[in-house]
Amino acid sequence: MPLVSMRQLLDEAAKGGYGVGAFNVNDMEQIQAIMMAAKETKSPVIVQASRGARQFAEDLYLFRLIQAAAELNPEIPIAMHQDHGNSFETCKSAIELGYTSVMMDGSLKEDGKTPSTFEENVEVTRKVVEFAHERGVTVEGEIGVLGGVEDGHGAGGSGLEHITDPDQAVEFAERTGVDALAIAIGTSHGAYKFTKKPDGSVLKMDVLIAIHKRLPQTHLVMHGSSSVPKDLQDIVNQYGGKLKQTWGVPVEEIQLGIRNGVRKINVDTDNRLAITGAIRKAFAETPEKFDPRDYLKPAREAMKKVVALRMTQFGQAGHAGDYKPMAITEIAKGYANGSLDTRPSMAAAR
Ligand code: G3H
Ligand code: 13P
Ligand code: ZN
């Protein structure tokens, strides 16, 4: 099956009351791990590549691998998404390559570090929406800034410095027409999110709920949503790693989010930990081996286990066959005739 519009995946998730995991990829084994998990759990899925991933894998290698995944798994709806696009050009190049969804992260300036102004964010996101929707491609925007830095992307600091203002979220949705909106509620990218199990003082689920009440038709996105489970930290450290103890986003908080409008949940770090733990273990236990398959196979299996568990926990498991994917050209018509318009004023008028 061809790659599917992320908007359709999220609209179906909203109807079914579940969330869809968006898993980051950089190479073939990660794509295979996701597809193994999606097949086993019968899940629709979002595969996403950061700018760093596109550079690491060389765009075309990665994109052809995703196309292979779609061809080999015709029963699984797959959306291919640009994670944290930093500019119109980045999003345009992903769309021209064939991605069915892009994130225009205008919460930061093009350097991927400096928080932008609200007006700058609106302007660049609106431009991407116009270009993408004409081609049936989904757009995720971001309002508020997450904590942490990944591969040079991020403003740094704790996740509490730029929490999303619900009034701004509503104005942003109205002025840009994004399909999905990433909000900042205290999470950070990477492993070091919280110094203890987070409570409402650091993880602002109340802000998320308030935004969903004001913007019920906009799909909410939780970034920095790895749970950083202790068992994955422990395997890394048991075999020579040096991770400091840390806490991620508890799965039950993500599930609370899903009951309140969260449809896309971004997970990268948990998979990185699973892969690294499995490789360290293989190196430590069989130092005489040197065939990469001897450690890449357990690494792929470890990631598959994490992804399958998250698919079950987010509720997407079992939903792969619920609907017939629409052609991207049909989605483009829906944007053109207004039936897919999510702006609060348009939704109110319908
Ligand atoms: O946004 C963060 C994702 O974990 C991707 O990270 O930019 O290091 O590929 P990356
Ligand atoms: P984690 O670092 O929590 O896995 O978040 C990934 C993410 O938000 C990618 O955009
Ligand atoms: Zn992110």
Side-chain angles (χ1 to χ4, degrees), residues 144-315:
V145 182
L146 261 75
V149 178
E150 281 293 285
D151 203 22
H153 183 98
S158 90
L160 289 173
E161 285 162 32
H162 303 276
I163 297 286
T164 305
D165 168 1
D167 288 336
Q168 275 200 344
V170 174
E171 188 182 340
F172 186 79
E174 181 64 38
R175 289 176 61 191
T176 61
V178 288
D179 302 278
L181 185 59
I183 54 173
I185 53 167
T187 67
S188 303
H189 288 121
Y192 300 104
K193 302 181 195 299
F194 303 109
T195 51
K196 58 182 172 53
K197 187 171 178 199
D199 58 20
S201 66
V202 288
L203 181 59
K204 304 283 185 191
M205 297 307 292
D206 54 335
V207 172
L208 184 149
I209 292 167
I211 294 171
H212 175 56
K213 285 211 173 97
R214 307 265 311 269
L215 279 179
Q217 69 290 345
T218 302
H219 302 304
L220 300 183
V221 183
M222 278 176 75
H223 279 246
S225 289
S226 278
S227 300
V228 199
K230 188 170 178 314
D231 57 332
L232 293 182
Q233 297 178 43
D234 286 348
I235 297 179
V236 172
N237 285 340
Q238 187 185 341
Y239 294 100
K242 282 198 168 51
L243 297 171
K244 290 173 281 180
Q245 202 180 28
T246 178
W247 276 263
V249 183
V251 167
E252 61 272 20
E253 300 290 354
I254 297 172
Q255 290 168 334
L256 171 64
I258 292 169
R259 291 196 293 280
N260 289 279
V262 171
R263 297 294 158 232
K264 174 173 181 273
I265 305 105
N266 283 17
V267 174
D268 188 359
T269 296
D270 284 351
N271 292 323
R272 293 177 170 186
L273 290 172
I275 289 168
T276 300
I279 291 179
R280 282 189 172 280
K281 184 168 185 283
F283 281 170
E285 288 180 348
T286 51
E288 72 287 2
K289 292 193 169 173
F290 55 88
D291 180 340
R293 289 171 296 192
D294 289 329
Y295 53 86
L296 292 178
K297 205 168 165 205
R300 184 172 65 185
E301 186 58 31
M303 173 164 163
K304 182 220 129 186
K305 262 174 74 179
V306 172
V307 173
L309 180 62
R310 293 290 175 269
M311 286 171 160
T312 305
Q313 292 165 329
F314 299 162

